[in-house]
Amino acid sequence: MTQYRYDNLSFSTVLPNYIDIGNTSGSIPISGSVADASTATFSTTIQLSADHTFSDIYAFNAAVSGKVQLVSPNSISFVYSSVSFEVIRVSIVYSGNQVTVTIAIDNDTGAPISLTSQTFTIEVVQYMLPI
Amino acid sequence: MSQADHAADIAFSTAFTTDKICGIYTDTVAGSAMTLKSGGGIGTDLYQKIIPHPFTRPVECDTIVSTDGGATFNPTEALTYSDSSNIYFSVIDNTKTYLYKIVCTWIDDYDTSNPLVAPVLQTTDSIYFDSRKNYRKVLKTGVATLNNPGAGISQIFPVAYSNNGLFSSFKVYFESKPNEVWPLINGGAQDVWLNDVAHQYEMNAGASNSQLLLEYIGASASAATFRAWYKIYYEQ
């Protein structure tokens, strides 16, 4: 097997590289009220271009002018516009060539809350290996 | 007009940097056969398949994983980090069987060793390049050396970039513990990947259309400094 000094290596046609297979997206509008000690959920299911791809998933919120990579349940709090001390969680489930992103908002503030209306654009950046 | 203004429309150009993939590991492993890495009663118990690698320093690891033999894939079922000797494929449920593919990407100038290494590709397919494909192109890459902000205290490190006003996608890896390179983990008490609560840094990453923002949180006995490596891609 050929050896390389990767620090010196630029592009190589004899080594694999990630191939862009396109972005796809969906949206999750957030609005309404949440009773105390309750959870509100909002979700979107996004069709992927192929099964078994690598993908990075981002949430974009124009209201706060930023996007965040969704890597753990509370990642999305980075771009969520809160109204009180509610807790926001996100989950990601892949099934075949679909991915479902669900946002859950827990209200344990001791009183009902009216959520700040906002829309998350969920962007899926898909890529794959040629092997 | 420069190539950079239309990077996303260009299938291939040697003018653009790509990810340097040095290892691909694919296998099936039963959770019951994995090694317990105890969370000490506070952190999460991880079950790991420890895979020796020849790269002599840590690499960045992407993982896709299936728990139903390949019918569906769910990347949130597993996490992979590495050190100079091993790749640690990690899960929290040892009752399942995992089919995984781990892709290891080189970290430029991790140290001054510049080692001579052979890639581990575990495939007989010799065709890796097709000029008709649109390869992921790196707009900006770099390393940030960050100081411990204190236990439970978060700080933000901004990285400026310019992508014609577009929001770029990105990848970030960091030294959650000394000499270990992890993908992003965060969430504090809700962070299922926090195994060593006293020592591990957590990191979150977000972006505007001009800055990548690295938000990091220290633990009670975290190292004084740690590094984070970022790659910002040309947006399609």
Side-chain angles (χ1 to χ4, degrees), chain B residues 156-173:
Chain B
I156 293 178
F157 180 84
V159 179
Y161 74 92
S162 175
N163 188 14
N164 294 324
L166 299 173
F167 285 75
S168 280
S169 55
F170 51 82
K171 281 185 181 292
V172 179
Y173 295 83

Side-chain angles (χ1 to χ4, degrees), chain B residues 160-214:
Chain B
Y161 74 92
S162 175
N163 188 14
N164 294 324
L166 299 173
F167 285 75
S168 280
S169 55
F170 51 82
K171 281 185 181 292
V172 179
Y173 295 83
F174 73 112
E175 289 171 314
S176 184
K177 291 175 66 177
N179 306 313
E180 293 180 357
V181 173
W182 287 61
L184 293 174
I185 59 167
N186 57 62
Q190 297 179 51
D191 185 352
V192 297
W193 301 113
L194 205 54
N195 169 261
D196 185 346
V197 174
H199 293 94
Q200 277 188 266
Y201 281 103
E202 294 183 290
M203 180 170 279
N204 199 14
S208 70
N209 60 358
S210 61
Q211 285 185 322
L212 171 66
L213 302 173
L214 308 180

